[in-house]
Amino acid sequence: MKKKWVHIIIISAVFLYLFLPLAATFLYSIAKEWHNTILPVSYTFSAYENLYTDPRFLQAVGRTLLISGITLVLSVVTMASATFVVFMYLPKMERVLQALVMIPFAVPGVVAAVGLIKVYSSGPIVLSGTIWILIGAYYVLVLPYMYQGIRNNLRTIDAKRLMEAAEVLGASKIKGFAFVIMPNMVTGILLSALLSFSILIGEFVLANFLIGGYYETIQVYLMRRLNENGHLASSIVITYFLTVAVISWMMLRLGRRFGKTEEIKEKIS
Amino acid sequence: MSYVQIDQAFKQYADSTVLKQVSLQIEKGELVTLLGPSGCGKSTLLRSIAGLEKLDGGAINVNGNDISHLPPQFRNVGMVFQSYALFPNMTVFDNIAFGLKMRKWPRKEITDKVKHMIELIHMSDKASSYPHQLSGGQQQRVALARALVTEPDILLLDEPLSALDAKIRKSLQIELRNIQRELKMTMIFVTHDQEEAMTISDRIFIMNGGEIVRQGKPEDIYASPKNEFVARFIGSYNVFTSQELNCMTGHSFESGNYAIRPEVMELHPHDSLSEQQKSGMWISGIIRNMTIRGNVRRYMIQAQDITLWVDELNVPQKSALDEGLFIKVWLSEDECNLLE
């Protein structure tokens, strides 16, 4: 009984430590007057109104969604097929792929940005000044998350065995992939894509260095407006937190579905 | 020509040869078992028949057609995997219907055929369940129905029952045998469980080190193992050299190795008079250990420096003998099988 109380106290302390700054930030974002009282004297949503009605904000959100969307679509299509082929038919190449996906961890963002600008400023491929340089950089940035997620998914569903079963039952490799493997990979791919998306919308260094000035994404916009006034900065932080929270919640939901597939595997083994 | 004919099948991985010129023939409607320890090549041979492994040499003929170089989808074989390999995104009905859909059967015929198969495996109430909602035994029955529904020329079963508990395994062995007889299906069953092989097979092929070392009907293989590996693998035989037998019995055996079934020997108290009444060979020894194996008591007897195993029926009329007791073991000379 005594132990249970200790647990509750520790958990409450951790929760307060994490929650209080966030609650204070939220209160400040909706405070109209708050000088020498514990709680604000009056409230207003004008900071949020100001933020959400700013055409620059909406434009920046749209740009971020566009860049992240293109990156994720490219990544899903290429990484799902590449990982599947390597996993099924070229297992010796897995080491090469694993080494490749480690690149984003090995190269700091600033170094990568400077290097990319230098390489793509002159021929043969000139990408500097276009969104494609950022999409390319983001593609590399999310590689580890996409690769690991898809690979774990393939292992969890025992893709090799499923593919063999489909082939023996008369399916070609393409039909086996389309009707059996792909439907069982959807959850894993979505999970990886959401994780990658939450990383992309928080990424600042590459966005600022590569196209910051002339193609303002949400990160660059937020950084610029943070210094304008405290209430607006707070509303930006809360907005960002809520976005990440929604993505996390979706990932947890999907994770539970993923867990069910693992249960099947456990039953089988 | 036999219905299934495998000639000189050869398979090599890097520097290890998994199949060494394996040849075998199977008649239509037979259920044969490939039996052997892990790594003996039995699963590789089965997967080669299915087209999931490519042979480095040899040929596979089924129903007069050389299928050695066909991809799996054109071989018209069915396969049941140890891990069932049911498609998690499909219901029981859709799993069973998958092979027929791939063969572009008309929708109405698919429905009728699948319903019939579901009835055959007694799972009509589970047609719309997903694999994760089924028990291991039910999943394996669905896997069996999925493989049978396409009416394959042969059905390959790769240790299909080894992930199940003993009770379900035994009931599925009987169910599998009944279905095989009902459909007159040619089946090749892979297992490392000799008891399972004995129970369900028309014929057994025993494999070791990439070769078939013995083949025949279960009763023939058990009665006459022919070589030391089979004797040890198939039935816990005692294997002695002629010198050991000479030393224990005082008789003079022809040079070679001999296999003796543990259940053909009899245990008698050391001071009994049976030696004078019963003709045969007598071995003096001491009981070192006794274990109960359900309906059988297994004794470990030490005779001089040699260990032998004796099985005795576990009946209440005869009480178990104590460890440390001096005894006499009776053995008929006819039961000593000279090995190759």
Side-chain angles (χ1 to χ4, degrees):
Chain A
M1 201 65 191
K2 197 183 166 188
K3 267 190 174 177
K4 197 182 171 191
W5 277 108
V6 175
H7 292 163
I8 290 172
I9 289 168
I10 292 172
I11 289 167
S12 307
V14 172
F15 185 74
L16 280 175
Y17 178 78
L18 295 172
F19 182 74
L20 271 180
L22 207 61
T25 309
F26 176 67
L27 280 178
Y28 192 66
S29 73
I30 57 169
K32 196 173 180 182
E33 278 178 80
W34 196 5
H35 303 295
N36 50 5
T37 52
I38 292 174
L39 290 173
V41 178
S42 57
Y43 298 93
T44 175
F45 278 96
S46 63
Y48 288 96
E49 201 182 328
N50 185 4
L51 183 67
Y52 297 146
T53 53
D54 181 359
R56 267 179 66 203
F57 172 76
L58 298 174
Q59 259 182 352
V61 169
R63 283 171 181 157
T64 301
L65 288 178
L66 179 73
I67 288 176
S68 306
I70 294 174
T71 306
L72 292 176
V73 168
L74 281 176
S75 189
V76 164
V77 171
T78 54
M79 286 309 289
S81 41
T83 311
F84 175 74
V85 170
V86 168
F87 181 81
M88 293 290 295
Y89 308 110
L90 303 164
K92 283 181 186 168
M93 292 289 286
E94 269 203 59
R95 281 185 187 174
V96 180
L97 216 53
Q98 268 167 355
L100 276 176
V101 301
M102 285 299 138
I103 289 173
F105 295 123
V107 183
V110 178
V111 177
V114 173
L116 285 169
I117 290 169
K118 202 162 179 170
V119 169
Y120 292 107
S121 296
S122 55
I125 305 166
V126 181
L127 293 178
S128 286
T130 70
I131 62 166
W132 296 105
I133 193 166
L134 186 60
I135 289 170
Y138 276 1
Y139 180 90
V140 176
L141 185 70
V142 300
L143 267 183
Y145 310 102
M146 293 302 292
Y147 171 70
Q148 288 297 346
I150 294 168
R151 184 166 151 271
N152 290 348
N153 192 191
L154 287 169
R155 282 192 176 177
T156 305
I157 62 170
D158 198 0
K160 277 184 188 164
R161 204 61 70 232
L162 291 184
M163 193 67 184
E164 285 178 354
E167 283 189 72
V168 172
L169 285 166
S172 62
K173 283 191 179 2
I174 293 171
K175 281 187 178 172
F177 181 72
F179 293 127
V180 177
I181 305 297
M182 206 54 201
N184 290 301
M185 278 175 73
V186 169
T187 313
I189 287 175
L190 274 177
L191 206 59
S192 308
L194 278 174
L195 178 65
S196 303
F197 182 65
S198 69
I199 287 160
L200 290 185
I201 61 162
E203 202 287 325
F204 172 73
V205 177
L206 288 169
N208 192 38
F209 269 81
L210 293 174
I211 54 168
Y214 46 87
Y215 197 81
E216 198 176 57
T217 56
I218 187 75
Q219 305 91 318
V220 180
Y221 169 83
L222 295 180
M223 193 51 72
R224 283 186 185 159
R225 297 213 67 183
L226 269 176
N227 300 325
E228 277 183 24
N229 83 56
H231 295 289
L232 186 70
S234 300
S235 67
I236 288 170
V237 169
I238 293 298
T239 302
Y240 183 72
F241 170 77
L242 285 177
T243 312
V244 173
V246 168
I247 293 171
S248 304
W249 174 76
M250 286 164 75
M251 278 163 54
L252 278 174
R253 291 283 308 246
L254 284 170
R256 259 180 239 149
R257 265 183 69 183
F258 205 56
K260 274 186 188 170
T261 321
E262 279 182 28
E263 269 174 39
I264 303 166
K265 276 279 295 171
E266 272 168 32
K267 268 190 178 181
I268 286 168
S269 61
Chain B
M1 195 185 208
S2 300
Y3 186 67
V4 178
Q5 185 146 344
I6 297 169
D7 293 317
Q8 309 281 310
F10 181 77
K11 175 79 184 170
Q12 203 166 21
Y13 290 119
D15 54 351
S16 80
T17 306
V18 188
L19 296 175
K20 299 173 183 167
Q21 317 287 355
V22 175
S23 296
L24 58 87
Q25 289 86 39
I26 302 163
E27 300 307 324
K28 192 170 170 59
E30 256 192 316
L31 195 165
V32 303
T33 297
L34 302 178
L35 174 66
S38 298
C40 71
K42 56 190 190 302
S43 286
T44 306
L45 182 59
L46 196 81
R47 289 170 59 80
S48 302
I49 299 169
L52 301 174
E53 299 283 349
K54 207 175 167 197
L55 286 177
D56 296 320
I60 300 167
N61 283 277
V62 177
N63 201 10
N65 303 314
D66 183 356
I67 61 164
S68 318
H69 304 290
L70 291 178
Q73 62 265 36
F74 299 123
R75 294 194 175 203
N76 198 31
V77 299
M79 185 150 179
V80 179
F81 297 84
Q82 183 182 359
S83 59
Y84 322 139
L86 293 179
F87 307 137
N89 57 316
M90 297 181 199
T91 61
V92 166
F93 186 96
D94 290 333
N95 261 286
I96 298 174
F98 185 83
L100 300 177
K101 283 179 187 165
M102 291 299 111
R103 284 165 171 77
K104 296 191 167 61
W105 276 39
R107 189 181 291 256
K108 171 83 173 65
E109 283 178 43
I110 291 178
T111 308
D112 294 344
K113 183 87 179 168
V114 172
K115 277 183 181 167
H116 171 69
M117 286 313 299
I118 291 176
E119 279 167 23
L120 187 74
I121 57 166
H122 314 295
M123 286 186 60
S124 301
D125 56 332
K126 299 279 182 187
S128 52
S129 301
Y130 283 89
H132 71 270
Q133 295 167 322
L134 306 175
S135 68
Q138 287 171 329
Q139 288 188 51
Q140 197 54 295
R141 294 208 317 255
V142 175
L144 182 65
R146 186 179 68 173
L148 286 169
V149 76
T150 56
E151 297 173 6
D153 291 333
I154 37 171
L155 182 64
L156 312 170
L157 303 109
D158 190 3
E159 306 207 27
L161 310 178
S162 55
L164 303 170
D165 65 61
K167 196 178 169 192
I168 294 171
R169 191 163 66 234
K170 286 196 191 316
S171 81
L172 273 180
Q173 283 168 2
I174 296 165
E175 198 169 330
L176 182 69
R177 192 63 164 134
N178 290 340
I179 289 173
Q180 188 265 337
R181 282 186 175 138
E182 193 180 327
L183 303 176
K184 296 183 178 63
M185 175 74 67
T186 310
M187 291 188 183
I188 305 177
F189 191 98
V190 160
T191 182
H192 60 261
D193 180 344
Q194 52 272 45
E195 198 185 319
E196 188 168 82
M198 293 277 173
T199 309
I200 64 166
S201 316
D202 290 317
R203 276 194 303 149
I204 297 174
F205 293 85
I206 298 178
M207 292 186 71
N208 186 32
E211 292 173 301
I212 292 174
V213 291
R214 179 88 168 90
Q215 58 174 292
K217 291 180 179 173
E219 58 270 28
D220 293 342
I221 288 180
Y222 189 74
S224 173
K226 294 266 174 67
N227 62 57
E228 186 176 344
F229 171 79
V230 178
R232 290 193 189 279
F233 189 75
I234 200 85
S236 323
Y237 269 73
N238 293 286
V239 178
F240 301 119
T241 61
S242 49
Q243 290 93 328
E244 286 174 326
L245 268 181
N246 294 343
C247 179
M248 283 191 293
T249 62
H251 279 58
S252 181
F253 280 86
E254 187 189 331
S255 170
N257 286 337
Y258 288 83
I260 303 165
R261 286 150 68 170
E263 67 272 22
V264 297
M265 290 183 271
E266 288 175 17
L267 296 177
H268 293 263
H270 196 259
D271 52 0
S272 79
L273 298 172
S274 35
E275 199 167 342
Q276 292 151 14
Q277 297 158 357
K278 199 166 181 175
S279 66
M281 299 182 295
W282 291 88
I283 301 167
S284 294
I286 183 168
I287 296 174
R288 287 294 179 205
N289 182 263
M290 191 276 290
T291 50
I292 302 283
R293 303 172 66 125
N295 56 343
V296 165
R297 294 184 198 120
R298 173 156 292 184
Y299 291 94
M300 186 174 93
I301 314 283
Q302 190 187 337
Q304 297 176 38
D305 287 339
I306 304 156
T307 301
L308 63 151
W309 300 93
V310 179
D311 283 355
E312 187 181 70
L313 209 55
N314 185 12
V315 287
Q317 293 86 346
K318 193 173 181 187
S319 54
L321 299 168
D322 295 329
E323 288 175 15
L325 193 71
F326 283 94
I327 41 92
K328 284 188 285 190
V329 181
W330 176 84
L331 170 65
S332 165
E333 203 167 335
D334 300 338
E335 298 292 349
C336 300
N337 293 293
L338 180 62
L339 300 172
E340 288 165 359

